[in-house]
């Protein structure tokens, strides 16, 4: 990582934004076309406050109860919350009630429950489908060939707004290999757009592969470590 561990969250945010900007330039992406989602899982509310004070608005969390507790403690701030973790069907209500976005939808049953449970007062829940581009059995997400049917079905649900696709690829260090996986997601999204779906979000890229993701059309990078530093050990 090219951000030293002793720097403040504000300094790290500046460094991450500079990386995004440099990648936009290097790969001829429009300036400002890649959003930064700060992934704050296992980091404290103080850390989130520090990031918010430095201008960060969008935060990503993986664990529902942790996220709901933090959100309650940060209710004085006007932040946007993205649920990026795996969602079990018995937890959909909490996600539908407490988040602006859900990134990791991988089956219609979950989407239908979120649609039914989304409070009218909050407006549609912004959603992405999680795709397993590497085909690893251990990774969550639908396979590329299952995406069109699921996407067209979700697009019919009135209280969800399908924004695009998300992937969490296997950890690779080679830029060309990283790009190859992201390109599969990007091509899949283009096919869906050609089929008439109005999608504008490709949620791909993390601390170690954001350049590859921006090169392949990411519109939203999910960055944890490079913003907040190493995650504290899980206490559970
Ligand atoms: C933890 C996590 C991230 C952030 O990963 P870093 O390597 O810390 O940037 C991004 N996306 C998902 C789905 C995650 O679970």
């Amino acid at each position: 990582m090219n951000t030293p561990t002793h720097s403040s969250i504000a300094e790290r945010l500046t460094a991450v934004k500079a990386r995004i900007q440099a990648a936009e330039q290097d790969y001829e992406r429009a300036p400002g076309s890649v959003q930064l989602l700060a992934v704050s899982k296992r980091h404290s509310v103080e850390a989130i406050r520090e990031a918010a004070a430095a201008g960060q608005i969008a935060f990503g969390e993986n664990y529902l109860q942790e996220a709901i507790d933090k959100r309650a403690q940060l209710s004085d701030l006007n932040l946007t919350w993205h649920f990026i973790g795996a969602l079990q069907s018995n937890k959909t209500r909490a996600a539908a009630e407490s988040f602006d976005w859900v990134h990791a939808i991988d089956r219609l049953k979950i989407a239908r429950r979120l649609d039914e449970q989304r409070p009218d007062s909050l407006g549609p829940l912004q959603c992405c489908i999680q795709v397993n581009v590497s085909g690893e059995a251990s990774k969550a997400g639908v396979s590329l060939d299952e995406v069109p049917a699921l996407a067209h079905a979700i697009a019919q649900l009135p209280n969800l707004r399908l924004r695009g696709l998300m992937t969490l690829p296997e950890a690779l260090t080679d830029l060309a290999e990283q790009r190859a996986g992201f390109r599969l997601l990007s091509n899949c999204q283009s096919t869906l757009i050609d089929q008439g779906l109005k999608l504008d979000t490709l949620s791909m890229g993390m601390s170690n592969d954001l350049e590859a993701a921006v090169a392949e059309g990411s519109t939203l990078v999910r960055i944890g470590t490079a913003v907040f530093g190493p995650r504290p050990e899980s206490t559970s």
Side-chain angles (χ1 to χ4, degrees):
M1 204 66 37
N2 49 14
T3 41
T5 44
H6 57 263
S7 50
S8 70
I9 288 171
E11 287 168 328
R12 287 160 172 278
L13 265 174
T14 302
V16 169
K17 286 185 199 156
R19 270 177 76 186
I20 293 171
Q21 241 172 13
E24 285 173 345
Q25 213 160 32
D26 289 350
Y27 298 106
E28 297 177 355
R29 299 285 312 278
S33 57
V34 181
Q35 254 194 73
L36 169 59
L37 179 66
V39 176
S40 47
K41 63 176 177 227
R42 303 220 297 265
H43 289 286
S44 65
V45 291
E46 290 73 26
I48 296 174
R49 282 195 185 277
E50 227 179 297
Q56 182 63 28
I57 291 168
F59 291 87
E61 290 278 343
N62 292 57
Y63 310 105
L64 267 175
Q65 195 51 54
E66 176 189 328
I68 290 166
D69 293 346
K70 286 174 171 174
R71 206 185 159 154
Q73 294 177 63
L74 294 163
S75 59
D76 56 308
L77 300 178
N78 200 6
L79 305 177
T80 307
W81 293 91
H82 295 233
F83 189 70
I84 62 173
L87 196 51
Q88 293 154 344
S89 56
N90 61 343
K91 301 278 179 61
T92 50
R93 183 176 298 279
E97 291 175 350
S98 303
F99 283 86
D100 303 292
W101 284 70
V102 171
H103 284 234
I105 294 181
D106 61 358
R107 49 197 194 274
L108 189 56
K109 179 182 172 189
I110 296 279
R112 286 206 175 111
R113 290 178 66 96
L114 289 169
D115 178 59
E116 283 161 16
Q117 293 166 344
R118 179 68 170 175
D120 284 341
S121 59
L122 296 179
L125 179 63
Q126 312 300 307
C127 292
C128 293
I129 293 173
Q130 183 173 4
V131 184
N132 178 353
V133 292
S134 56
E136 285 173 287
S138 61
K139 290 277 184 215
V142 297
S143 63
L144 284 160
D145 54 308
E146 294 171 310
V147 174
L150 182 58
H152 287 277
I154 291 177
Q156 306 297 318
L157 300 174
N159 300 315
L160 301 189
R161 167 101 166 76
L162 183 65
R163 298 291 293 270
L165 305 180
M166 174 269 204
T167 194
L168 179 62
E170 57 186 325
L172 298 167
T173 50
D174 179 69
L175 181 77
E177 287 181 25
Q178 292 172 346
R179 287 187 62 166
F182 291 139
R183 195 174 312 133
L184 294 172
L185 196 73
S186 183
N187 289 342
C188 184
Q189 174 110 320
S190 300
T191 304
L192 297 175
I193 291 171
D194 288 345
Q195 292 171 353
L197 293 182
K198 296 203 168 25
L199 307 178
D200 61 7
T201 301
L202 267 179
S203 168
M204 60 187 197
M206 306 194 289
S207 294
N208 289 314
D209 54 17
L210 88 79
E211 284 78 9
V214 171
E216 297 300 337
S218 172
T219 66
L220 185 152
V221 289
R222 309 179 309 267
I223 310 294
T225 311
V227 170
F228 292 106
R231 278 183 280 282
E233 289 300 316
S234 172
T235 50
S236 54

